[in-house]
Every structure is written in structure tokens, then in C-alpha cells.
Amino acid sequence: MALRLSGPHQTAGTLTYWGGEDLELTVLNLPKAATVRWHLSRGS
């Protein structure tokens, strides 16, 4: 399984912050019986 995220982002050191506009998340090669859990945060 692999994830691909596309959209506006900013890198600071080893961290990458995504957002400000729409993001596109693509899950590749997800097994049929897999459970997907999402956690979204607006940040602080």
C-alpha cells in the first residue's frame, strides 16, 4: 500500500505542512479487506 498526497505544502526542517487549499489523497494498492482510518487536523 502507498499514499500519494498532492496539493499546496510548506516544508520546515523535517516537517511538511499541507493545506490552505484542496488536497488530493490517493491510496494505491489497498488490499480488499483493509480498514482505513483517517485523522484530519486544522493545526494550531
Side-chain angles (χ1 to χ4, degrees), residues 4-9 18 21-26:
R4 181 175 60 215
L5 183 60
S6 301
H9 62 280
W18 295 84
E21 295 180 24
D22 291 344
L23 300 174
E24 180 180 320
L25 177 65
T26 305

Side-chain angles (χ1 to χ4, degrees), residues 16-40:
T16 301
Y17 299 92
W18 295 84
E21 295 180 24
D22 291 344
L23 300 174
E24 180 180 320
L25 177 65
T26 305
V27 180
L28 306 167
N29 301 319
L30 185 66
K32 285 187 177 185
T35 299
V36 177
R37 175 186 275 174
W38 301 100
H39 173 80
L40 301 174

